Amino acid sequence: MSNQIAQQAAVPEPPPEDAPRRDVGREILHRLFNGTPMLSVLAVVASLVVGAILIGFTNPRVADAAGYFFARPGDTFAALWQAVSGAYISLFQGAIFNPNRMDSVQQVLAPLSTTLYYAAPLIIAGLGVAIAFKVGLFNIGGRGQMLVGAGVAGWVGFTVPLPPVIHVAVALIAGALAGALWGGIVGLLKARTGAHEVILTIMLNYVAYLGIQYALRNPDLLRNQDNNNPVSPPMMDTAILHSLPGFRVHAGILIAIAVVILYWWFIERSNLGYQFRAVGLNPDAARQAGMNVGLVTTLAMAFGGAFMGLAGGVQVTGQVTSGFTANIDAGIGFEAITVALLGRSSPWGTLVAGLLFGAMRAGGFNMQAAQQIPIDLVLVLQAFIVLFIAAPALVKTIFFYPKGARS
């Protein structure tokens, strides 16, 4: 009798006829909106909307049509549409594909190659910020780490004669090691003294920038002896990442993809990567579990500096034929923060974010030339992306985000 009762209890009762059926489509949408990638996408969309508003306010044709808005409101909306659509179409054509220039394969692929050219150092530098985020640190010293890496990689490139391929590899490795040393200083001071990494990295940015300026003015260090300006000697031909014939893209994008895969394996599959994530989630619990939090902190900043130094090396070896200046970082060190935030510090998210920002850089020049819209609009878009990512509640309100969805 007891066995029969147990078997009856184990059999689940059928659901009532009026119970709601499972909606697979709604569940997929719920999972999609519960994930953080959707917030990143909506942050980009919101920034594009803000950019469209700014274009409308600053466009002279829209302003002229707005002068007689109540008489002919259609003219204002038509001018606004032409200004916004023209700007974003030019941005797309300069970054991805221009259907008006299809005379040759080179013209068809030129915009995409320019995007990949700009994206390569952005992706690598973005990982330098992302790996610090994983440990709960803020690596705002990307500029200094890139400058140190670029200076060392450039010095190897124009002073140390080596065979092709090997010369580029040695220059890039030297730049990564220099950046690792510059970032490791911050990690060590953070671990030993508790000094805040944001203050340390900001100060070291100034030290690196002024140090590179001094070296570029000294003919015994980095300055070209045949030039009175603060510029380095030209790189040896064996130390240059040569572009594909007819395009701007070079092997730097392949290096960036390889670094993304390495970052993914390290964070997701290695024991040390597990410690990075554990310390980032709860350093006290990680310490109680026997992890060396100070060592992890030092290594995280060193690895972040290595990525930044490698990005600086790619900048030097990928675009310099007549020497480099103290502005070789091209703002990438700070732009990498936005890339890491948009990519949510994940390897593939950072890759996509780097490609997006590379497209903005490439398309921004075409937008400026075709529509006379300042390229500073791209910087405004990036700033609003950071704003919306930092304020997920605002994004949820704007797009009527489902209640209960996580940020």
Side-chain angles (χ1 to χ4, degrees):
M1 178 67 68
S2 60
N3 291 337
Q4 293 178 354
I5 295 175
Q7 291 176 359
Q8 292 176 359
V11 177
E13 296 182 1
E17 294 181 359
D18 57 347
R21 293 187 177 182
R22 182 181 178 185
D23 190 341
V24 178
R26 185 178 296 275
E27 182 176 348
I28 293 175
L29 289 176
H30 179 73
R31 289 178 179 272
L32 179 63
F33 277 91
N34 266 342
T36 54
M38 179 54 66
L39 281 178
S40 297
V41 173
L42 294 181
V44 174
V45 173
S47 67
L48 292 176
V49 172
V50 173
I53 295 173
L54 293 176
I55 293 172
F57 273 109
T58 58
N59 187 272
R61 287 175 294 180
V62 176
D64 292 340
Y68 53 91
F69 176 80
F70 294 102
R72 295 168 59 183
D75 290 358
T76 304
F77 291 113
L80 178 62
W81 170 255
Q82 291 177 359
V84 174
S85 62
Y88 286 152
I89 288 174
S90 298
L91 189 70
F92 177 83
Q93 291 177 347
I96 307 298
F97 172 71
N98 188 350
N100 299 323
R101 301 183 61 184
M102 298 182 62
D103 297 336
S104 64
V105 176
Q106 178 180 347
Q107 289 185 346
V108 172
L109 299 179
L112 184 59
S113 73
T114 305
T115 293
L116 297 178
Y117 168 80
Y118 284 119
L122 279 170
I123 295 169
I124 301 172
L127 295 176
V129 179
I131 197 169
F133 281 157
K134 287 292 184 181
V135 188
L137 302 173
F138 195 174
N139 183 14
I140 202 172
R143 187 185 191 191
Q145 294 154 14
M146 279 192 67
L147 287 174
V148 171
V152 173
W155 181 84
V156 172
F158 63 73
T159 60
V160 183
L162 290 171
V165 180
I166 296 177
H167 200 175
V168 175
V170 171
L172 293 177
I173 293 172
L177 292 176
L181 177 62
W182 207 249
I185 294 173
V186 177
L188 184 61
L189 291 175
K190 170 78 173 179
R192 293 298 181 90
T193 67
H196 203 288
E197 73 276 5
V198 172
I199 303 299
L200 292 173
T201 49
I202 290 176
M203 293 299 101
L204 286 177
N205 280 344
Y206 286 104
V207 174
Y209 179 70
L210 296 175
I212 288 292
Q213 279 192 329
Y214 171 78
L216 289 171
R217 290 190 176 98
N218 192 328
D220 296 328
L221 295 175
L222 292 180
R223 202 195 83 188
N224 188 349
Q225 297 182 2
D226 299 329
N227 195 329
N228 292 326
N229 296 319
V231 62
S232 73
M235 303 280 285
M236 295 182 183
D237 189 67
T238 54
I240 296 176
L241 289 171
H242 292 282
S243 302
L244 292 177
F247 301 99
R248 298 195 68 180
V249 66
H250 50 65
I253 188 63
L254 300 179
I255 296 172
I257 294 173
V259 172
V260 169
I261 296 173
L262 177 64
Y263 175 85
W264 168 82
W265 176 87
F266 175 78
I267 291 296
E268 300 295 338
R269 293 292 184 265
S270 70
N271 178 58
L272 185 57
Y274 171 77
Q275 295 185 47
F276 274 41
R277 289 184 282 121
V279 172
L281 292 173
N282 193 324
D284 294 330
R287 188 178 291 107
Q288 291 295 327
M291 299 180 187
N292 191 334
V293 176
L295 178 61
V296 169
T297 300
T298 303
L299 290 178
M301 292 303 299
F303 289 172
F307 285 132
M308 289 291 184
L310 179 60
V314 170
Q315 276 287 95
V316 169
T317 58
Q319 71 175 15
V320 174
T321 56
S322 58
F324 62 90
T325 67
N327 295 318
I328 184 63
D329 64 295
I332 294 174
F334 290 111
E335 205 167 327
I337 299 173
T338 312
V339 171
L341 286 172
L342 184 61
R344 304 287 175 174
S345 300
S346 69
W348 313 117
T350 304
L351 174 64
V352 174
L355 291 172
L356 173 63
F357 277 62
M360 285 186 175
R361 280 201 171 202
F365 295 107
N366 186 67
M367 181 180 64
Q368 184 177 32
Q371 300 293 324
Q372 289 74 51
I373 295 177
I375 196 173
D376 295 336
L377 176 67
V378 173
L379 301 178
V380 173
L381 294 178
Q382 294 172 1
F384 273 101
I385 288 174
V386 175
L387 172 65
F388 288 123
I389 289 177
L394 179 61
V395 176
K396 292 180 180 181
T397 302
I398 294 173
F399 291 97
F400 304 99
Y401 212 74
K403 294 182 178 180
R406 298 168 305 179
S407 58

